[in-house]
Amino acid sequence: MVKDVQKKKLAILGSTGSIGTQTLDVCAYHGIEVCALSARQNSALLEEQARKFHVKYCALSDKKSAEDLKISLADTDTQVFCGNGGILEMIEACGANTVINSIIGTDGLLPTLKSIECGKNIALANKETLVTAGELVMKRVKEKGVTLMPVDSEHCAIFQCLMNGKREEVSRLILTASGGPFFGMDSEKLKNVTVEQALSHPTWKMGKKITIDSATLMNKCFEMIEAAYLFSFEPQKIDVVLHRESVVHSLVEYVDGALIAQMSLPDMRMCIQYAITYPKREKGIVRKTNLADIGRLTFYKPDYESFPSLSLAPYALERAGVIPAVLNGANDEAVSLFLDGKISFTDITKLVQNTVYSFENIKNPTLEDILCAQKEAKNRVLRAAGG
Ligand code: MG
């Protein structure tokens, strides 16, 4: 018998990254058809994936790498698209019914919008999509009647916890945060942390950008914004608790005080699979969780003084307009400056704060307003850093 999950036809954007490769694990396990793959420049791994899954459409945003891939796949009937525009063309051409978007950073927005426009369901691992243009994206999702499933572990958890009551019975969405590698450090010590230290996350193995965002807790700030748009709750109802073990993936508190949590060993493949199989659940590749083996679960209040990025979420959500996009653009630039050794760790959040607090907002922005504001935010960070 063909399982429902095997009727899916997936396009995986960002297939050579951490979420992308884990999505392919899930596809291999369930025998799910993969019809399209995209990446930035890793043509060697993309070739290997395309051959293994008999993928008909591939795209690379780096033009030189796309040329390489065309040559190496010349003996197949796989069509290779080139450049960021090529990724959009591929989404339209490939015939997928579900698009997994695990592109890193700001480049993920246009592919999400294109997928919605083409009537495809989306499993979204690119949080910048909702941080940058949450209002616009959710409006288009509604108009087109497509499903947008979160792949982020916290949002996947909240999605599941929200099934336990009515919307009006919810009093808080509580996102858990591991606290990153600098949990318990004060701002004085944080000034001197190195790129290498910031890149070693205690629980999750991820790309560089998101690992730095986890260390500054900017990732949690983004996730608060993501949650507000995804589930349509006001910023006052979105809270954060530090939880070192990453077993409780997030919680929903109801008006009677009941807390509903979703727990499991940290493994993104569970979220990826759920986003694909929903509304069903299927047996998965993920190891079952033995709570007695884990023994203790600990929770702490977040330290807003050492990690001021958390306060930027309610600030940006209350103002809306282009401010969330400015926040994202400023952070993008500040993180690259830090990774290049040009600014200190604590400068990341400082530069972002200064840019966000001084930016003149545009209410009800168009996509162009959003992209312009984001670009301008990047420039301002560069100038402020003396670059
Ligand atoms: Mg997360």
Side-chain angles (χ1 to χ4, degrees), residues 127 152-155 204 210 219-220 223 226 268:
K127 62 189 71 182
D152 216 346
S153 62
E154 293 78 0
H155 304 81
W204 302 98
I210 187 169
N219 182 54
K220 212 46 60 178
E223 288 181 352
E226 200 184 353
M268 285 309 292

Side-chain angles (χ1 to χ4, degrees), residues 46 57 64 94 122 128 265 304 310-312 324-325 340 350 373:
L46 200 68
Y57 301 89
K64 165 83 181 61
C94 70
I122 297 161
E128 288 80 357
L265 291 170
Y304 286 88
L310 288 175
S311 319
L312 284 164
D340 290 345
K350 260 185 225 147

